[in-house]
Amino acid sequence: MRAIILLCLLALPALAQAQTTGQSSGQPAGPVPLPTWFVEIDTAKKGEVSRADFLKYRMKSFDELDGNKDGKVSLEEFLKLAEPPFSQDVPGGPSLEDRRNRIRAAFQGLDLNASGFIERAEAEAPIHSEFNQYDTDRDNKITEPEIRAIMQRLAQRQAAERQQAEAERRKGLMTLNDLIDMQMRDADKLDKNNDGKISQQEYLVAAGPADGPQTQGQLPYEVRKKLVLIKFQEIDTNKDGIIDRPELTAYAVKEFLETDLNKDRFLDQEEIKKFQEAEQTKTRDLIPKLMPAPAQPAQPRPAAPQQRAPQPAPAPQQGAPPTGVPQGTR
């Protein structure tokens, strides 16, 4: 906060000014840049800053706040640090009331004798303490070599802190190399003949057993087999029936880029979860097309036509010729 920097409530904010002109790496190329305050005080370019000049520079804000010039700053005057031009509203930053609360707490820390005022001596005390941190040889001067050495150590410490913070952030995250290594380890398990390649037959092991207790609750083996072969064809880009390491690497890169939604070159748990859900949805949509067609029920055969029993010949009428004998043959 600029108010704390201006009054030198702590030494660290002054050291942090070097970040605006310094470099971010722990081993910056060339000389470490001087902090802004050193350049602004050393107008004569002597390469050194005296205690008196440092004190005068740091006390500018005190003199600005001491409106009635009585050599002390009241809480009302001190609270001006929460307002422009000392503090500005920034998106996502602390509100005016939050800034005032912090200023009140800082006031209590500076008002050592609890008089209700920050007297000049009380304001100068932390400034002298800050100067002593820079004046390592205690000659009442801060030289360029002294401040550059301090800035160098600060840059290294900040770089180490950033690396530690980045390492903490990366916990549980997957890099592209992590994904490739995982794919290769899985591939080595399938490569039974250890030739560095995976044949279609070797890859089919991923479909699981065709029968037995382990298949309980699983899809039919033929469906699992078809799903595995579809994946095989996706990886086998040159369609030679073999998956080699370049193809596996290319497929891992493709999967990584599709999964890395925020393009930060890391896969977090949420991104991995979304990728897995998308794959599951794709598989569910595919399964009905791979399931065997249900067997058609047997159609009943039409009944054979029943043969009519022969009817007995009608009895001959009286006076009629016998049946079977042609008339007129007698």
Side-chain angles (χ1 to χ4, degrees):
M1 187 175 179
R2 185 182 174 196
I4 298 178
I5 295 175
L6 289 171
L7 286 177
C8 303
L9 304 181
L10 297 170
L12 287 179
L15 291 172
Q17 281 186 321
Q19 284 186 290
T20 58
T21 55
Q23 298 190 19
S24 59
S25 67
Q27 299 293 332
V32 179
L34 293 168
T36 303
W37 58 262
F38 190 98
V39 176
E40 291 180 355
I41 298 173
D42 184 26
T43 55
K45 306 301 180 184
K46 295 187 298 182
E48 62 184 36
V49 170
S50 68
R51 183 182 292 272
D53 289 339
F54 186 79
L55 184 63
K56 180 180 178 181
Y57 178 84
R58 288 296 196 210
M59 288 296 289
K60 285 180 181 179
S61 56
F62 181 92
D63 295 331
E64 291 176 10
L65 293 173
D66 183 15
N68 58 8
K69 306 305 177 186
D70 60 353
K72 54 188 178 182
V73 174
S74 66
L75 176 59
E76 183 181 357
E77 290 172 325
F78 198 67
L79 284 174
K80 292 178 182 178
L81 290 172
E83 305 169 1
F86 299 104
S87 297
Q88 305 290 338
D89 289 322
V90 294
S95 65
L96 176 61
E97 188 58 32
D98 287 339
R99 296 197 300 269
R100 284 175 174 167
N101 290 335
R102 295 180 185 182
I103 294 299
R104 286 190 185 94
F107 184 90
Q108 297 298 326
L110 286 171
D111 183 16
L112 301 178
N113 59 8
S115 64
F117 295 92
I118 298 175
E119 300 170 3
R120 179 170 288 273
E122 290 174 324
E124 289 178 348
I127 298 175
H128 285 294
S129 177
E130 181 189 5
F131 183 91
N132 291 337
Q133 293 186 52
Y134 301 146
D135 181 20
T136 55
D137 60 5
R138 299 295 184 263
D139 64 351
N140 277 325
K141 293 183 296 185
I142 303 172
T143 62
E144 279 195 25
E146 285 176 320
I147 196 62
R148 287 190 192 277
I150 291 172
M151 293 299 106
Q152 176 71 41
R153 290 195 295 271
L154 175 66
Q156 292 173 343
R157 184 168 67 249
Q158 290 172 338
E161 290 172 353
R162 284 192 296 271
Q163 290 174 356
Q164 183 177 0
E166 181 65 12
E168 288 294 324
R169 188 184 73 83
R170 291 185 183 184
K171 283 184 178 179
L173 302 184
M174 180 180 291
T175 65
L176 175 58
N177 286 337
D178 293 335
L179 181 61
I180 293 175
D181 290 343
M182 184 178 70
Q183 297 264 22
M184 293 303 175
R185 287 194 299 269
D186 291 342
D188 289 340
K189 295 176 183 178
L190 298 175
D191 182 17
K192 298 303 181 183
N193 61 1
N194 297 317
D195 63 351
K197 302 175 182 178
I198 303 174
S199 67
Q200 191 175 96
Q201 194 63 33
E202 288 173 325
Y203 198 78
L204 279 174
V205 174
D211 51 30
Q214 295 177 340
T215 63
Q216 294 295 322
Q218 293 189 10
L219 292 169
Y221 176 71
E222 287 303 317
V223 176
R224 286 182 276 128
K225 179 179 176 181
K226 291 176 182 177
L227 288 171
V228 168
L229 290 177
I230 289 173
K231 181 63 67 174
F232 184 93
Q233 294 298 327
E234 289 180 11
I235 304 174
D236 180 23
T237 52
N238 63 5
K239 308 307 177 187
D240 63 350
I242 297 292
I243 295 177
D244 54 26
R245 288 185 175 270
E247 287 174 322
L248 273 174
T249 301
Y251 188 78
V253 172
K254 174 179 175 291
E255 277 194 334
F256 186 91
L257 295 177
E258 291 175 355
T259 310
D260 184 20
L261 301 177
N262 60 6
K263 307 306 177 187
D264 66 345
R265 296 177 292 115
F266 294 97
L267 302 184
D268 57 34
Q269 295 302 316
E270 186 63 25
E271 289 174 325
I272 294 174
K273 180 181 177 182
K274 288 182 179 179
F275 176 81
Q276 291 173 339
E277 289 174 348
E279 287 293 301
Q280 290 169 359
T281 300
K282 189 191 305 182
T283 301
R284 280 197 301 268
D285 294 342
L286 195 57
I287 288 174
K289 303 175 183 177
L290 303 179
M291 292 291 285
Q296 295 294 328
Q299 295 293 331
R301 296 179 61 183
Q306 295 182 354
Q307 295 183 354
R308 296 177 64 182
Q311 298 294 322
Q317 297 179 1
Q318 190 175 3
T323 58
V325 179
Q327 296 183 17
T329 58
R330 290 185 180 182

PDB file of all heavy atoms in Angstrom, residues 38-52:
ATOM      1  N   PHE A  38      16.365   5.599  -4.522  1.00  0.00           N
ATOM      2  CA  PHE A  38      17.798   5.898  -4.548  1.00  0.00           C
ATOM      3  C   PHE A  38      18.108   6.855  -5.690  1.00  0.00           C
ATOM      4  O   PHE A  38      18.855   7.839  -5.523  1.00  0.00           O
ATOM      5  CB  PHE A  38      18.603   4.609  -4.704  1.00  0.00           C
ATOM      6  CG  PHE A  38      20.084   4.781  -4.499  1.00  0.00           C
ATOM      7  CD1 PHE A  38      20.660   4.482  -3.276  1.00  0.00           C
ATOM      8  CD2 PHE A  38      20.915   5.253  -5.525  1.00  0.00           C
ATOM      9  CE1 PHE A  38      22.029   4.648  -3.074  1.00  0.00           C
ATOM     10  CE2 PHE A  38      22.265   5.417  -5.328  1.00  0.00           C
ATOM     11  CZ  PHE A  38      22.839   5.115  -4.100  1.00  0.00           C
ATOM     12  N   VAL A  39      17.525   6.588  -6.862  1.00  0.00           N
ATOM     13  CA  VAL A  39      17.763   7.447  -8.028  1.00  0.00           C
ATOM     14  C   VAL A  39      17.220   8.849  -7.787  1.00  0.00           C
ATOM     15  O   VAL A  39      17.864   9.852  -8.143  1.00  0.00           O
ATOM     16  CB  VAL A  39      17.127   6.817  -9.279  1.00  0.00           C
ATOM     17  CG1 VAL A  39      17.265   7.729 -10.486  1.00  0.00           C
ATOM     18  CG2 VAL A  39      17.739   5.447  -9.567  1.00  0.00           C
ATOM     19  N   GLU A  40      16.035   8.935  -7.173  1.00  0.00           N
ATOM     20  CA  GLU A  40      15.425  10.245  -6.942  1.00  0.00           C
ATOM     21  C   GLU A  40      16.168  11.062  -5.882  1.00  0.00           C
ATOM     22  O   GLU A  40      16.202  12.291  -5.951  1.00  0.00           O
ATOM     23  CB  GLU A  40      13.962  10.056  -6.522  1.00  0.00           C
ATOM     24  CG  GLU A  40      13.086   9.524  -7.650  1.00  0.00           C
ATOM     25  CD  GLU A  40      11.639   9.354  -7.218  1.00  0.00           C
ATOM     26  OE1 GLU A  40      11.350   9.560  -6.011  1.00  0.00           O
ATOM     27  OE2 GLU A  40      10.799   9.025  -8.076  1.00  0.00           O
ATOM     28  N   ILE A  41      16.781  10.408  -4.902  1.00  0.00           N
ATOM     29  CA  ILE A  41      17.539  11.130  -3.882  1.00  0.00           C
ATOM     30  C   ILE A  41      18.917  11.527  -4.400  1.00  0.00           C
ATOM     31  O   ILE A  41      19.383  12.659  -4.178  1.00  0.00           O
ATOM     32  CB  ILE A  41      17.672  10.279  -2.604  1.00  0.00           C
ATOM     33  CG1 ILE A  41      16.293   9.998  -2.006  1.00  0.00           C
ATOM     34  CG2 ILE A  41      18.554  10.970  -1.573  1.00  0.00           C
ATOM     35  CD1 ILE A  41      16.317   9.031  -0.830  1.00  0.00           C
ATOM     36  N   ASP A  42      19.577  10.607  -5.097  1.00  0.00           N
ATOM     37  CA  ASP A  42      20.944  10.856  -5.573  1.00  0.00           C
ATOM     38  C   ASP A  42      20.921  11.649  -6.874  1.00  0.00           C
ATOM     39  O   ASP A  42      21.345  11.180  -7.934  1.00  0.00           O
ATOM     40  CB  ASP A  42      21.671   9.526  -5.762  1.00  0.00           C
ATOM     41  CG  ASP A  42      23.131   9.716  -6.156  1.00  0.00           C
ATOM     42  OD1 ASP A  42      23.704  10.771  -5.816  1.00  0.00           O
ATOM     43  OD2 ASP A  42      23.678   8.803  -6.818  1.00  0.00           O
ATOM     44  N   THR A  43      20.410  12.861  -6.797  1.00  0.00           N
ATOM     45  CA  THR A  43      20.317  13.698  -8.002  1.00  0.00           C
ATOM     46  C   THR A  43      21.688  14.118  -8.518  1.00  0.00           C
ATOM     47  O   THR A  43      21.853  14.383  -9.710  1.00  0.00           O
ATOM     48  CB  THR A  43      19.484  14.940  -7.700  1.00  0.00           C
ATOM     49  OG1 THR A  43      20.033  15.633  -6.567  1.00  0.00           O
ATOM     50  CG2 THR A  43      18.040  14.554  -7.408  1.00  0.00           C
ATOM     51  N   ALA A  44      22.682  14.179  -7.635  1.00  0.00           N
ATOM     52  CA  ALA A  44      24.043  14.575  -8.041  1.00  0.00           C
ATOM     53  C   ALA A  44      24.820  13.413  -8.637  1.00  0.00           C
ATOM     54  O   ALA A  44      25.959  13.594  -9.074  1.00  0.00           O
ATOM     55  CB  ALA A  44      24.796  15.144  -6.853  1.00  0.00           C
ATOM     56  N   LYS A  45      24.229  12.220  -8.656  1.00  0.00           N
ATOM     57  CA  LYS A  45      24.849  11.027  -9.237  1.00  0.00           C
ATOM     58  C   LYS A  45      26.178  10.693  -8.550  1.00  0.00           C
ATOM     59  O   LYS A  45      27.150  10.279  -9.187  1.00  0.00           O
ATOM     60  CB  LYS A  45      25.077  11.194 -10.745  1.00  0.00           C
ATOM     61  CG  LYS A  45      23.837  11.579 -11.522  1.00  0.00           C
ATOM     62  CD  LYS A  45      22.728  10.563 -11.390  1.00  0.00           C
ATOM     63  CE  LYS A  45      21.482  10.954 -12.183  1.00  0.00           C
ATOM     64  NZ  LYS A  45      20.354  10.011 -11.978  1.00  0.00           N
ATOM     65  N   LYS A  46      26.205  10.843  -7.241  1.00  0.00           N
ATOM     66  CA  LYS A  46      27.423  10.515  -6.491  1.00  0.00           C
ATOM     67  C   LYS A  46      27.509   9.028  -6.174  1.00  0.00           C
ATOM     68  O   LYS A  46      28.546   8.552  -5.707  1.00  0.00           O
ATOM     69  CB  LYS A  46      27.452  11.323  -5.188  1.00  0.00           C
ATOM     70  CG  LYS A  46      27.552  12.831  -5.375  1.00  0.00           C
ATOM     71  CD  LYS A  46      27.743  13.555  -4.046  1.00  0.00           C
ATOM     72  CE  LYS A  46      26.555  13.328  -3.128  1.00  0.00           C
ATOM     73  NZ  LYS A  46      26.704  14.073  -1.832  1.00  0.00           N
ATOM     74  N   GLY A  47      26.426   8.330  -6.363  1.00  0.00           N
ATOM     75  CA  GLY A  47      26.435   6.898  -6.066  1.00  0.00           C
ATOM     76  C   GLY A  47      26.262   6.611  -4.595  1.00  0.00           C
ATOM     77  O   GLY A  47      26.615   5.509  -4.144  1.00  0.00           O
ATOM     78  N   GLU A  48      25.694   7.589  -3.858  1.00  0.00           N
ATOM     79  CA  GLU A  48      25.480   7.366  -2.437  1.00  0.00           C
ATOM     80  C   GLU A  48      24.344   8.261  -1.948  1.00  0.00           C
ATOM     81  O   GLU A  48      24.033   9.287  -2.555  1.00  0.00           O
ATOM     82  CB  GLU A  48      26.752   7.637  -1.633  1.00  0.00           C
ATOM     83  CG  GLU A  48      27.234   9.069  -1.736  1.00  0.00           C
ATOM     84  CD  GLU A  48      28.539   9.309  -1.010  1.00  0.00           C
ATOM     85  OE1 GLU A  48      29.392   8.385  -1.019  1.00  0.00           O
ATOM     86  OE2 GLU A  48      28.726  10.412  -0.439  1.00  0.00           O
ATOM     87  N   VAL A  49      23.723   7.833  -0.833  1.00  0.00           N
ATOM     88  CA  VAL A  49      22.624   8.584  -0.220  1.00  0.00           C
ATOM     89  C   VAL A  49      22.936   8.726   1.267  1.00  0.00           C
ATOM     90  O   VAL A  49      23.158   7.720   1.955  1.00  0.00           O
ATOM     91  CB  VAL A  49      21.279   7.855  -0.415  1.00  0.00           C
ATOM     92  CG1 VAL A  49      20.185   8.509   0.430  1.00  0.00           C
ATOM     93  CG2 VAL A  49      20.879   7.850  -1.883  1.00  0.00           C
ATOM     94  N   SER A  50      22.947   9.953   1.756  1.00  0.00           N
ATOM     95  CA  SER A  50      23.225  10.183   3.166  1.00  0.00           C
ATOM     96  C   SER A  50      21.981   9.930   4.009  1.00  0.00           C
ATOM     97  O   SER A  50      20.860   9.905   3.501  1.00  0.00           O
ATOM     98  CB  SER A  50      23.710  11.617   3.384  1.00  0.00           C
ATOM     99  OG  SER A  50      22.647  12.537   3.131  1.00  0.00           O
ATOM    100  N   ARG A  51      22.189   9.779   5.319  1.00  0.00           N
ATOM    101  CA  ARG A  51      21.073   9.570   6.227  1.00  0.00           C
ATOM    102  C   ARG A  51      20.130  10.771   6.211  1.00  0.00           C
ATOM    103  O   ARG A  51      18.903  10.608   6.211  1.00  0.00           O
ATOM    104  CB  ARG A  51      21.582   9.311   7.645  1.00  0.00           C
ATOM    105  CG  ARG A  51      20.462   9.015   8.659  1.00  0.00           C
ATOM    106  CD  ARG A  51      21.025   8.814  10.052  1.00  0.00           C
ATOM    107  NE  ARG A  51      21.809   7.605  10.147  1.00  0.00           N
ATOM    108  CZ  ARG A  51      21.327   6.395  10.446  1.00  0.00           C
ATOM    109  NH1 ARG A  51      20.029   6.258  10.691  1.00  0.00           N
ATOM    110  NH2 ARG A  51      22.108   5.347  10.525  1.00  0.00           N
ATOM    111  N   ALA A  52      20.699  11.971   6.197  1.00  0.00           N
ATOM    112  CA  ALA A  52      19.875  13.181   6.228  1.00  0.00           C
ATOM    113  C   ALA A  52      19.005  13.285   4.980  1.00  0.00           C
ATOM    114  O   ALA A  52      17.809  13.612   5.070  1.00  0.00           O
ATOM    115  CB  ALA A  52      20.763  14.411   6.366  1.00  0.00           C
TER     116      ALA A  52
END
